[in-house]
Amino acid sequence: MFSVFKDFDKDTADVFSDDFDSKISLKVKSAGPHSTTLTTNIELVDKDNKCSLKPKVSLKWPHPSGFTLEKMEFTNDCKMTVETSLVDAVPGAKFEFKGNDSDKADLSIKYSIPAATFTA
């Protein structure tokens, strides 16, 4: 009885591209005024033998009051993502918000004391 090889009739490029992915990207992280951090990420996308660039720009900004803009990200298709946190508004509590401009908005509270941690 002979063994059956499912990939025998495939092109060589098809066999190797299934298992090996290559990702080419450039990430630049720079410090700005008032403790801000600006991150630019550009990814080279090769889809259907057409190369294109997929950029993302994100910003992080901590404020001395305890409010932190963890991530404010914009993509090339004009989508925005926001992540924020607030500490020291209530002793032991951390408030977090994560959302985007279309379908996501999550608010969570993490309260920590020496004996336990509560998350809501």
Side-chain angles (χ1 to χ4, degrees), residues 6-55:
K6 294 180 182 177
D7 292 338
F8 188 72
D9 60 342
K10 284 188 176 181
D11 189 331
T12 307
D14 289 340
V15 173
F16 288 113
S17 67
D18 288 343
D19 296 331
F20 302 102
D21 292 331
S22 63
K23 183 177 178 181
I24 300 171
S25 64
L26 173 67
K27 186 175 186 177
V28 178
K29 195 173 196 177
S30 56
H34 306 291
S35 301
T36 58
T37 304
L38 181 67
T39 305
T40 305
N41 190 5
I42 301 172
E43 183 180 348
L44 180 66
V45 179
D46 185 10
K47 188 174 184 180
D48 300 328
N49 291 327
K50 293 182 182 178
C51 290
S52 62
L53 296 176
K54 184 179 175 185

Side-chain angles (χ1 to χ4, degrees), residues 80-92:
M80 183 176 70
T81 303
V82 176
E83 294 180 9
T84 61
S85 65
L86 178 63
V87 294
D88 297 332
V90 176

